[in-house]
């Protein structure tokens, strides 16, 4: 049995412990207790969350854990010398040490991220880099595995992190079954962007949302302004004006961003040739897709695919 220890700090957010459900469901899928989960704190007892809900914890002791995880905290001074000492020992004694969301700050404060690649919530990534210059922060990643140290992005990314732990421990079939029970897509690739084009656009009206949904379903088609306007039940002129007012972008730029996002996902998760990906995502040819990738990411598709495969191999 693998013992999982999750360090809970005062002022933690409840969502940060959601990843523990992954291990619970894995036990149910296997039909026996593969994982033994423990909530930990320096002195044990009830720990109050940022929402006011308290949970019971066990105190630090000499128990050995296969995996030690930690979330963040909104309370200043919550990372005590005792927490830092416990994490330092965990890096030496445990198979892996992990953080969810801003828990990366805790690992960094303990020195566990020095010289390592790491990620955290995009909103705090630059702060992490500024406070801990020895850390190689990659702000646009869902999760990163660097040796025995695992870090993940915003709080739901902790579920992706736990799913890949399950996959490495028990196989892809078990991880997929757990993902289905959680009603989530099978875990996102670690190199996948934290950002979503549709979230960034934030359309306010149903008509513009309908046009974007139509575009996402038909990326392999030309997608003229006339087609998008028809999907929104507006004239082309009305549509272009309303689209820019709601999103701050032209329809053409938004469609290109949707295509780039879809192409990047295919680059990371499939073995399709680049020419095929270019056609399926609506780029006329690989050169146009290459130029779009350079505008969006500063890297050509081949480099991003190579980096994604290197992460999987690691």
């Amino acid at each position: 049995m693998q013992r999982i220890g999750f360090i809970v700090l005062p002022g933690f957010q409840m969502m940060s412990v959601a990843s523990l459900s992954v291990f619970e469901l894995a036990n149910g899928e296997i039909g026996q207790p593969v994982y033994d989960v423990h909530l930990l704190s320096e002195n044990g007892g009830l720990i109050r969350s940022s929402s006011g809900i308290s949970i019971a914890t066990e105190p630090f002791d000499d128990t050995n854990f296969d995996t030690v995880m930690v979330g963040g905290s909104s309370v200043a001074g919550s990372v005590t010398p005792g927490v830092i000492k416990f994490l330092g020992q965990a890096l030496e004694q445990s198979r892996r040490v992990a953080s969810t969301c801003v828990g990366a700050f805790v690992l960094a404060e303990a020195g566990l991220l020095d010289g390592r690649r790491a990620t955290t919530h995009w909103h705090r990534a630059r702060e992490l880099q500024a406070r801990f210059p020895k850390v190689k922060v990659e702000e646009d990643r869902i999760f990163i595995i660097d040796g025995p140290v695992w870090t993940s992005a915003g709080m739901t990314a902790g579920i992706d992190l736990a799913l890949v732990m399950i996959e490495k421990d028990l196989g892809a079939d078990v991880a997929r079954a757990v993902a289905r029970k959680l009603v989530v897509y099978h875990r996102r690739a670690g190199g996948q962007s934290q950002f979503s084009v549709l979230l960034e656009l934030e359309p306010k009206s149903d008509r513009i949302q309908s046009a974007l949904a139509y575009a996402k379903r038909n990326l392999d088609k030309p997608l003229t302004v006339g087609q998008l306007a028809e999907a929104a039940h507006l004239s082309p002129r009305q549509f272009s004006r309303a689209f820019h007012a709601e999103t701050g972008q032209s329809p053409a730029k938004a469609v290109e961003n949707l295509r780039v996002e879809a192409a990047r996902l295919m680059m990371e998760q499939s073995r399709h040739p680049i020419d095929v990906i270019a056609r399926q995502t609506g780029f006329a040819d690989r050169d146009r897709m290459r130029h779009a990738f350079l505008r969006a990411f500063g890297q050509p598709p081949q480099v991003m695919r190579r980096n994604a495969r290197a992460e999987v191999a690691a």
Side-chain angles (χ1 to χ4, degrees):
M1 184 183 299
Q2 298 183 26
R3 192 176 287 115
I4 310 288
F6 193 101
I7 301 172
V8 180
L9 301 176
F12 74 97
Q13 290 183 302
M14 292 296 295
M15 192 66 192
S16 67
V17 298
S19 57
L20 299 181
S21 296
V22 175
F23 301 107
E24 175 190 356
L25 291 174
N27 285 341
E29 187 65 26
I30 294 297
Q32 60 182 349
V34 178
Y35 296 105
D36 181 21
V37 178
H38 298 257
L39 293 171
L40 309 174
S41 66
E42 185 171 2
N43 299 309
L46 292 176
I47 302 296
R48 186 180 176 86
S49 71
S50 59
S51 64
I53 299 173
S54 297
I55 61 175
T57 65
E58 305 168 27
F60 294 161
D61 57 22
D62 296 330
T63 302
N64 289 323
F65 292 92
D66 175 82
T67 302
V68 172
M69 303 176 69
V70 63
S73 169
S74 59
V75 176
S78 60
V79 184
T80 64
V83 172
I84 290 175
K85 180 181 177 181
F86 185 84
L87 285 168
Q89 292 172 340
L91 185 61
E92 297 176 357
Q93 299 171 359
S94 302
R95 180 163 62 104
R96 56 198 176 200
V97 178
S99 65
T100 62
C101 196
V102 292
F105 283 81
V106 183
L107 297 187
E109 195 164 336
L112 273 62
L113 299 184
D114 288 356
R116 296 185 186 275
R117 297 167 55 245
T119 194
T120 188
H121 192 290
W122 64 267
H123 189 61
R124 302 284 301 278
R126 294 184 182 179
E127 179 189 348
L128 180 66
Q129 185 67 84
R131 285 179 55 186
F132 303 99
K134 293 182 180 179
V135 182
K136 301 173 183 176
V137 179
E138 298 184 19
E139 63 182 86
D140 193 19
R141 292 291 182 269
I142 295 296
F143 62 83
I144 288 177
I145 305 170
D146 191 325
V149 180
W150 303 43
T151 53
S152 63
M155 286 173 286
T156 59
I159 294 174
D160 298 286
L161 190 77
L163 283 170
V164 78
M165 288 181 178
I166 299 298
E167 184 174 316
K168 288 183 178 294
D169 294 344
L170 305 174
D173 289 344
V174 175
R176 278 192 292 269
V178 171
R180 284 196 296 270
K181 288 185 177 179
L182 288 167
V183 197
V184 299
Y185 293 109
H186 184 43
R187 63 97 174 164
R188 293 171 288 182
Q192 186 174 331
S193 173
Q194 293 188 36
F195 300 96
S196 164
V197 171
L198 291 180
L199 285 176
E200 288 290 296
L201 290 171
E202 292 185 330
K204 298 174 180 60
S205 69
D206 290 342
R207 288 185 171 185
I208 302 302
Q209 289 177 9
S210 296
L212 284 169
Y214 173 83
K216 194 165 186 180
R217 291 194 305 269
N218 296 276
L219 289 177
D220 59 328
K221 297 179 173 61
L223 291 176
T224 64
V225 171
Q227 289 173 312
L228 297 176
E230 185 177 348
H233 303 292
L234 293 169
S235 72
R237 185 176 179 181
Q238 288 175 317
F239 172 76
S240 294
R241 187 166 54 243
F243 192 95
H244 194 278
E246 292 191 26
T247 68
Q249 295 185 17
S250 68
K253 183 61 177 177
V255 168
E256 178 179 288
N257 289 337
L258 286 170
R259 284 178 168 144
V260 164
E261 184 175 71
R264 175 176 175 169
L265 200 59
M266 289 184 69
M267 293 288 297
E268 293 174 345
Q269 299 184 354
S270 78
R271 294 185 175 274
H272 294 314
I274 292 177
D275 289 334
V276 172
I277 293 174
R279 288 197 303 271
Q280 291 185 358
T281 53
F283 293 104
D285 53 52
R286 62 187 297 159
D287 285 338
R288 291 193 183 183
M289 188 172 82
R290 180 178 182 276
H291 290 311
F293 267 62
L294 288 171
R295 284 192 292 271
F297 308 119
Q299 295 180 326
Q302 297 92 329
V303 171
M304 299 192 72
R305 167 168 273 181
R306 187 163 60 245
N307 290 343
R309 287 178 176 175
E311 285 198 6
V312 171

